[in-house]
Amino acid sequence: MPADRTRDKMHQRRRIHVQGIVQGVGFRPFVFHLAEQYALAGWVRNNATGVVIEIQGPADALDEFTRAIETNAPPLAHIARLSSETIAPMGESGFIIAASDDTTEKRAWISPDACICDDCLDELFDPADRRYNYPFINCTNCGPRFTIVKDVPYDRPLTTMAPFVMCPQCRREYDDPRDRRFHAQPDACAVCGPTAVLEIESRVATNRDAIELAGQLLGRGKILAVQGIGGFHLVCDASNIETVGTLRARKRRYDKPFALMVKDIEQARILCEISPAEEALLVSHRRPIVLLRAREPLGVAAQVAPNQKYLGVMLPYSPLHYMLLDSFARVKSGKPAVLVMTSGNLSDEPIAYVVQEAQERLASIADYFLTHDRAIHIRCDDSVARVVNHQPMLLRRSRGYVPEPLFVPQAFHAPLLAVGAHLKNTFCLGKDEYAFVSHHIGDLENFETWQSFTEGIEHFKKIFEVEPQAIVHDLHPEYLATKYAQEQAEMSGAVRLLGAQHHHAHIASVMGEHGLTGAVIGVALDGTGYGADGTIWGGEFLVADLREFERVAHLETLPLPGGEAAIHEVWRLAAAWLAQVYGDDFLELDLEFVRRLDRAKWRVLAQMTRQNINSPRSSAMGRLFDAVAALVGVRDVANYEAQAAIELEMLADEKCAARYPFTLSEEQPHILKTDTLLRAIVEDLRNGAPQSIIAAKFHNTVTELVAQTCAEIRRARGLTQVALGGGVFQNVFLLTRTMAQLRAMNFEVFVPTRLPPNDGGISFGQALIGNAKIRDAAARAILT
């Protein structure tokens, strides 16, 4: 529209409030340009709830201005709510960007960290640009956000960039509303900004020289600890067999796959098959690690991902990454430049993110350290995703996604905190219509992770100004997160404590993602979860809404000889299953598994099982996968969580459609009997059937088991919506077949997409369950 409009001389003034991700994403300059375009007067400022605009001019121009805000917002912006009110006109003649107001209640959303934009990438490698090869180049459309924020509103003094005083040139850019770096809080250059450093012997290299040297060291087979946006990575040449093996030994990560980083999508295609949906995920500004089917022959050392069909690949997301890969590529002289880029930690510890801490914790792993002095305020691992049926599925939600909130189907009656699960922990704060699910914390099994958990909660409470009136926890009395919830409630005296069953939380999480509130058939398959009866669940069929659930069917239980040791030594599960079906006669079966069994050890475990000593029974589907993996000879001992089950999936013949028999009992709840399944597997083993066929038939059996049980529940309850949750559904072979069969049977199927199906999504489900219980209690209180 022309600026000199004449058709409407009726001037109005409006106050517009915009909430969502509107700070640190170039939103105020965008509004400034719009105001100039429509010749409007007034101002725009950040406040603690988002952005507020007062705008004055002809009514039709104000209408078009408002529509343009909603339809043409900057790429990293996300408008959750826009409200407008008419106020008294003032005598302004121009439009300005006013100073931020931090006196109101904090409701502003902070942007996730975003990968370097194309404009900054061009400048990074332009010798004529003043930021040429400067590893911390950024603008309002890219760069660190969440990991440098200390408080809101999102202004430089409240970030870890506060110590860096801008030089005159950076200040001019920062103050110019027409510049791409206007109010880009991390904006800096080599004159005034952070510095990358690499020390080698008596030499200290900085910025470009440091990164060039780092590339050379990687080419010589060295392992580097590299400080990134959310923490440290351990980095090495992915094609160097010896170096990859050394990294595994030093990190104590013996089999679990390493993530890889390549320069661009063309390099990724050399390594993997990539669909259009996978490409879109790889190149998105979120830049997760994406699981992709590897090409043969494997383009990296086999030790990168032992016994896997997939590689975890990501593209660079920081300017430092691009420079490092550029340097490394020169060393490789035309050969593929692929880097292992794995979390900077010892196995089971959280990622290191403070320089001094990293130099202490990683000294036994890294040969050299590439660090910088832009502090990371909150650690944040790389996110992990894959594509299932052309749709993204997150397996770990962290950098690039957090702290973007999720909308909830029912507004929170009161602010609450959900403390999540014990493994793959996240926590969740709920307020108004939003749930703020945390970054990946990890397994709450050591002090460092516990500290990350408690510090993360306090940070989220601060930046979102949430003081929980209720805390929701898992039913397991010994989980550290449960104990934390109890301690916080006791200290407060006014905080309500609510329990949420683990598998109900899995299903509630899926329901919340899809806006469901009524009853559904919930299928929750995982490795372990504390049941409402105090036993271990994990093969569960529920009829559930957000408030309550009924267990209507479950997998037949199996003893865990030696308790948690059986999760690691999965041969124990196979032996226990055989003994449950065949009795001691299983020792006479003509099976390779029986021949390699340590009979002396088994006699002790069998006695423990018979006497019910440290041998709890479990209905977990994950344990059944482990047992089958051991039985068919995949492995007897797992070196990381679900390794046996994952490798069983990798073996499965994708062309095989056959399955094994199973039985669904008539009793209530229905018991999914597995004795006929085991006998059929044993028969195949005795007849010399290939592992790939047995693995496929077992997966197909689980698919049929889920489908037929859901059909039985539909007949009894009339429900047609099915929610699938739990870590077992990370298995793509199983998930795609289960979804296809259920849909063929006219079920409406819902799966996680924005949160992981594993325990990383539990906190969101807990929050929804807690809110439903609070809302129900409040409604009943009104009625009485």
Side-chain angles (χ1 to χ4, degrees), residues 531-567:
D533 59 1
T535 64
I536 302 171
W537 291 6
E540 309 309 312
F541 293 79
L542 313 177
V543 170
D545 58 23
L546 293 179
R547 186 175 65 87
E548 59 189 0
F549 74 94
E550 180 186 353
R551 189 190 197 196
V552 293
H554 64 82
L555 191 66
E556 185 176 20
T557 61
L558 181 69
L560 307 182
E564 288 193 10
I567 299 173

Side-chain angles (χ1 to χ4, degrees), residues 409-410 504 507-508 510-512 514-523 541-552 710 713-714 716-724 747-750 772:
Q410 298 173 330
H504 185 201
I507 301 308
V510 181
M511 293 176 66
H514 296 280
L516 306 175
T517 57
V520 301
I521 300 170
V523 184
F541 293 79
L542 313 177
V543 170
D545 58 23
L546 293 179
R547 186 175 65 87
E548 59 189 0
F549 74 94
E550 180 186 353
R551 189 190 197 196
V552 293
C710 288
I713 297 169
R714 177 170 60 185
R717 303 296 181 96
L719 299 173
T720 59
Q721 294 181 321
V722 179
L724 305 178
F747 282 103
E748 192 176 4
V749 184
F750 300 91

Side-chain angles (χ1 to χ4, degrees), residues 599-655:
R599 298 199 175 205
K601 182 177 281 190
W602 172 245
R603 278 196 296 271
V604 174
L605 292 171
Q607 184 72 9
M608 289 171 59
T609 302
R610 282 192 291 268
Q611 296 179 8
N612 198 27
I613 299 172
N614 194 25
S615 299
R617 300 192 69 85
S618 167
S619 64
M621 181 64 77
R623 301 288 77 85
L624 194 65
F625 271 81
D626 289 341
V628 173
L631 190 60
V632 303
V634 173
R635 63 172 46 251
D636 289 338
V637 176
N639 293 319
Y640 62 87
E641 185 190 5
Q643 180 183 11
I646 291 168
E647 292 180 356
L648 184 70
E649 177 194 357
M650 296 302 105
L651 281 175
D653 186 331
E654 296 174 358
K655 296 178 182 178

Side-chain angles (χ1 to χ4, degrees), residues 186-304:
D187 184 30
C189 68
V191 174
C192 63
T195 303
V197 175
L198 190 149
E199 297 184 29
I200 178 169
E201 299 170 356
S202 59
R203 178 184 174 190
V204 178
T206 61
N207 286 345
R208 179 184 178 182
D209 292 340
I211 297 168
E212 188 69 26
L213 180 57
Q216 295 169 12
L217 291 169
L218 290 168
R220 298 208 297 263
K222 301 300 182 182
I223 298 169
L224 270 65
V226 178
Q227 186 178 1
I229 287 179
F232 277 78
H233 286 108
L234 290 165
V235 185
C236 74
D237 181 350
S239 66
N240 190 316
I241 296 172
E242 183 179 351
T243 304
V244 174
T246 299
L247 177 57
R248 284 208 175 278
R250 291 180 183 177
K251 188 175 163 69
R252 302 174 202 163
R253 181 169 171 156
Y254 301 109
D255 292 312
K256 194 173 183 180
F258 286 140
L260 301 173
M261 181 177 281
V262 295
K263 182 179 180 180
D264 52 36
I265 194 70
E266 287 73 26
Q267 288 287 315
R269 287 191 194 284
I270 294 173
L271 292 177
C272 302
E273 301 171 11
I274 302 176
S275 70
E278 288 166 338
E279 179 176 348
L281 195 54
L282 273 172
V283 303
S284 72
H285 68 268
R286 301 183 188 277
R287 292 289 164 96
I289 299 166
V290 182
L291 298 188
L292 304 169
R293 186 177 286 268
R295 295 188 185 276
E296 295 182 359
L298 197 64
V300 294
Q303 297 97 317
V304 165

Side-chain angles (χ1 to χ4, degrees), residues 417-487:
L417 165 67
V419 295
H422 185 69
L423 301 178
K424 295 181 175 63
N425 177 267
T426 62
F427 58 84
C428 176
L429 285 174
K431 182 179 183 180
D432 301 328
E433 299 89 6
Y434 312 116
F436 298 93
V437 180
S438 78
H439 50 298
H440 171 77
I441 301 296
D443 299 348
L444 296 179
E445 295 187 332
N446 54 58
F447 173 75
E448 291 82 7
T449 312
W450 171 255
Q451 189 175 37
S452 178
F453 169 74
T454 56
E455 288 175 351
I457 290 174
E458 293 306 312
H459 184 58
F460 268 58
K461 285 166 62 176
K462 180 179 180 182
I463 62 175
F464 297 118
E465 203 165 76
V466 176
E467 195 54 51
Q469 295 177 21
I471 303 179
V472 193
H473 61 85
D474 192 271
L475 297 182
H476 198 302
E478 296 304 316
Y479 279 0
L480 290 180
T482 301
K483 292 181 180 296
Y484 170 86
Q486 293 168 341
E487 290 169 1

Side-chain angles (χ1 to χ4, degrees), residues 14 16-19 22 27 30-31 34 38 53 62-75 77-84:
R14 297 177 188 172
I16 300 172
H17 293 271
V18 188
Q19 289 180 270
V22 290
F27 198 84
F30 159 70
V31 171
L34 277 184
Y38 291 105
I53 306 162
L62 296 181
D63 291 341
E64 292 184 32
F65 170 83
T66 305
R67 281 194 293 271
I69 289 176
E70 295 184 285
T71 57
N72 301 326
H78 174 77
I79 296 174
R81 177 181 296 161
L82 186 149
S83 61
S84 177

